[in-house]
Amino acid sequence: MLGRRALVFLLVLMATAAFVFPQVRVQAAGNVVTPGQVILDPLPGTPAIGLPGDTIEVYPAEGVSVQSLQIVSILHGPYDLQIVGTEGGVVRAKIPYEAVPDVYFLVVKSNKGDVTVPNGVWVMERAPTVLRIAHGSDLHVTSGFKMGFVCGDYFQKSIPEILKYCNNPIGMHSYTATESFMTYYAMVGSWGQNVINLIISTGDDVDTNGDQEGYKMLNRAILYATAAGTPLISIKGNHDHPPTYYGKYVGPRYFYRVIGDFLIIGLDSRGEERHPEMEQLQWMEDVLKGHPNKTVIVLVHHPFWYSTPDGKWGGTIKGYTAFDDSDWKALTRFVSWDWVGRKGEYEDIARYFLQMVEKYNIRLVLSGHIHKDKPVLYVDKNGNEHWFWTLTTTGAPDKTSNPPSETDKGLGYTVPSWYGSQVVYLYSNGTVEFPLAGNVLRDGISSLPVPQKFVVFRQEGQEGTAVQFFNELNESVSGPLVIRIPAGANVDPEGTNITYRVVAEREIAGEKYMLLNVTVPRGVGQITAVTKKDTKPPEVSIGYITPSKPKPGQRFSVYISADDNVGIRAMKVQIIVDGKVVKELPAFSVKPSEVKATYFTEVDGINATTFTIKAIATDFYGNTKEATYSVGTSTATTAATTTETSSNEGKGICGPAAILALIALPNLLRWRK
């Protein structure tokens, strides 16, 4: 039988686990039809691609009869796709000649139900001569808790650590990082800036393969980016394995897409296997044979190379060929164990892959998985260059701190890391460029600080939507922004301090979307769209602290419950001893995509046994509300009280204005140290 102390400890532990670290929520589908229950391809991570008049292929799920297909965007359509035939269960449909180039929702009506797929069809204006790719990887979106903290160049895994470097850090939940990454490149990828024309994610899109809610969150981020006009292609990672929900929400295990002179092949390196199986590589060669004279990109989650003669950070491997036995034996010391096996048991698979890279002159291989940058340039014996670019994580906080902590120094990493991405240009002649990063063949951070230095928080309440921007880049960022709004909502100049122009509104699949052209200046900005002026303060209460009775100097955490009708802009916590504020700390939402959520902060010890905790919530209109919580070892219980105040502090200062000229290529070079 449990003793009293053990029982209390167990109850607190169970409450903490349920309240703070929500586990994977796998919900029964019921009557709700997921995209993959109707069609297997295209899905939000694998759009169909074509020009007006081209024929695309739609792969229905087993037992599904497609009755009609339609495409619609916020600006264009709807257009009905003419079904021209079905062969081997594959539906072939024609894009109307009158369809305006855009990234469209695909609306599918079937005998098993109707689905609307964001990023379903990319209708191109013309076949591109250069693919300008925004590469992200290891998004690790979760419906649970996965967060790091950033300010400027710095990244840390705890609040007390990041507060050593700045007073106003930003909490980066994996969803926040993912949405920020996609929103930024959607803004700079459309309407004349031409920085990029395609977003690519190389796996571990969601942190846990059974997290259905996480995949829904991922699709929400994909929707916001692609509805603004920039398409996305994604592949599966080991955290998406087995594809319990991946095939229902993102895309097939492996696939290919033709984009004019370019061929993109997406592979599945699976879970603990960490490399594609032989049958998959044989399929890949059939695809390559069937599409000669294409400039090829291969996407695979696990990187092929472990090191080079220059070191583990990457570098150049030159003068070998996988077709020569002695050369291959020399190359195996550089190939990742994930591909060859620790005892060489997978050498035939690894060698076959590299032989295809040489034989078909594959110019670019994009990967992730290792949560740090590793650029490798492989120059074969014929002098052909093959870039293997492995990117740091875009969304996961479990990487080396920046600057490294004592714990991180023991990991053996040579450089710190951040939430990063990369811009890669691939020309139809096979030339590869990294236009914003300069020379990437060096030991050090090569990726760009997006989303590290461009962070987007989106809140959707019952009476309005608010978006907050933290832009620490050296220039303003302009371009399209898509928001989801309640019926009757309009952009409110009083709650907005960025320049904007409303371009269009449209209801799609029961949701109302607004497309804007915005300019986000350097610093902190916001935009709100509300049904009426917001004078209602947030709801806030302090749930508990852990440990419940911290000893003097002992670190403890505070957990706060909050909600608002539009959105909460900021949460802070004060520690009050003998009537004086001795600490003031930021608090962060564990569910940043939701208005109603739990916030938390970490207090690095108080030299007192009796003190008061005050939580102060501020919404996007400056309305505030406070809650207090008393802690003292001399009493057996604690008490929580709430007080309400109203303030105009922090209201927007700019109304509608003429949209600023679209910026030129964003300069991301000057952030380097």
Side-chain angles (χ1 to χ4, degrees), residues 185-267:
Y185 286 110
M187 290 179 68
V188 303
S190 302
W191 297 0
Q193 294 187 63
N194 295 325
V195 177
I196 62 108
N197 54 15
L198 176 64
I199 301 171
I200 285 178
S201 170
T202 49
D204 282 0
D205 291 338
V206 167
D207 196 52
T208 307
N209 73 301
D211 187 359
Q212 184 179 19
E213 188 62 31
Y215 282 107
K216 291 179 182 178
M217 294 167 67
L218 171 71
N219 280 1
R220 191 183 314 150
I222 293 174
L223 184 156
Y224 292 137
T226 59
T230 301
L232 173 140
I233 291 176
S234 183
I235 62 167
K236 180 178 156 294
N238 59 292
H239 279 251
D240 302 302
H241 187 83
T244 308
Y245 288 107
Y246 187 89
K248 295 179 180 178
Y249 287 96
V250 186
R253 282 185 55 214
Y254 49 93
F255 59 91
Y256 73 90
R257 290 293 186 269
V258 176
I259 307 175
D261 291 333
F262 300 94
L263 172 65
I264 296 180
I265 296 177
L267 297 178

Side-chain angles (χ1 to χ4, degrees), residues 132-153:
R132 299 182 297 272
I133 298 166
H135 180 201
S137 191
D138 297 81
L139 308 176
H140 288 273
V141 173
T142 176
S143 64
F145 180 80
K146 202 172 185 76
M147 182 178 288
F149 306 93
V150 301
C151 60
D153 290 327

Side-chain angles (χ1 to χ4, degrees), residues 614-634:
K614 179 187 286 187
I616 306 169
T618 304
D619 68 13
F620 281 85
Y621 282 78
N623 303 307
T624 65
K625 199 168 187 180
E626 301 176 354
T628 59
Y629 190 100
S630 299
V631 179
T633 57
S634 60

Side-chain angles (χ1 to χ4, degrees), residues 184 332 468 504 507 584 599 650:
Y184 173 81
T332 54
Q468 187 176 32
E507 184 176 310
E584 185 170 281
Y599 288 71

